[in-house]
Amino acid sequence: TAEAEAFAIVEETAVAKGIRRISAVTKGVAREAIEEGETYAAKVSALEEISHDTPDLDKQAGALRKELDDAFTSAIVKAELRARIEGVQKKAVEAKKKALAAKVDKILNVVKEQIEQAVAEEKRALVLNVDIAADSKASQKVMNAAKKIAPDMAFMGVSEEVVGSEGKLMAFAIVPDSMAEEGFKADDWVRATLAECGGRGGGRPTSAQGQAAECSDVNAVIEAADAFASEKVAASV
């Protein structure tokens, strides 16, 4: 033991069923592994101090987890630190979901007012830019509200995952049966809209959704959606 000076198990792998191989180091190499573990333990502790509602905390945790996976340190310490990082990620995701739910409730009230205004103006189709990230459950709430308030109106919602990021974009639509029978189909509407930014979509004539991995011009997408709706509404008059 004295000759080893320091000892660290750095790897544990499965060789065969019921058989595992353990790799360990001693002396200076072991001290380096131990010091590396202490460095990452400090990083994880700092991560745990960050407020769980910090917007990109889950991404910070994911990046640290990737660093740790590549680090040369004790396998036992690495496993413990992974578990702590996963705990942070779980709390961050829960906080993000809670914040989004509160945000969606507020946005839903605004969307309802806009739909009611469209009904008052006797519009047959409405396209709105809604800030619900790329949350499919939130989009369902919006579509349910539109269907309840304006059952005879075609509705489409467009939402960026992160506003202004030029990243992922979601589009979702509902169309009344009567309008779908006249050729105004929700799946065609979504496909034509997302084609503006290279996205794809699908669904049924009365309900559809889709996404684009990138979108540099949301206004152009909304204009494409409006143009499609105007053409279909005019054709049915």
Side-chain angles (χ1 to χ4, degrees), residues 156 173-176 179-192 204-208 228 232:
M156 174 176 282
I174 53 171
V175 175
M179 295 180 73
E181 290 170 0
E182 293 174 348
F184 190 157
K185 299 180 180 180
D187 51 343
D188 290 342
W189 195 11
V190 167
R191 278 192 286 268
R204 304 188 304 277
T206 57
S207 178
F228 181 96
K232 293 300 180 181

Side-chain angles (χ1 to χ4, degrees), residues 51-105:
S51 175
H52 296 149
D53 57 4
T54 300
D56 64 343
L57 181 59
D58 56 334
K59 293 182 180 179
Q60 290 185 49
L64 183 57
R65 166 65 187 265
K66 187 176 180 180
E67 281 185 35
L68 179 64
D69 286 343
D70 295 333
F72 180 73
T73 187
S74 163
I76 297 171
V77 170
K78 188 177 285 190
E80 292 174 350
L81 295 181
R82 281 198 192 108
R84 288 169 61 186
I85 291 173
E86 288 172 3
V88 171
Q89 287 178 306
K90 183 177 180 180
K91 290 178 180 178
V93 169
E94 290 174 351
K96 184 180 287 187
K97 286 182 179 179
K98 186 176 180 180
L100 179 59
K103 181 180 180 180
V104 168
D105 287 340

Side-chain angles (χ1 to χ4, degrees), residues 205-228:
T206 57
S207 178
Q209 62 182 342
Q211 294 184 345
E214 298 178 330
C215 181
S216 59
D217 192 344
V218 178
N219 290 331
V221 171
I222 293 175
E223 288 174 6
D226 279 328
F228 181 96

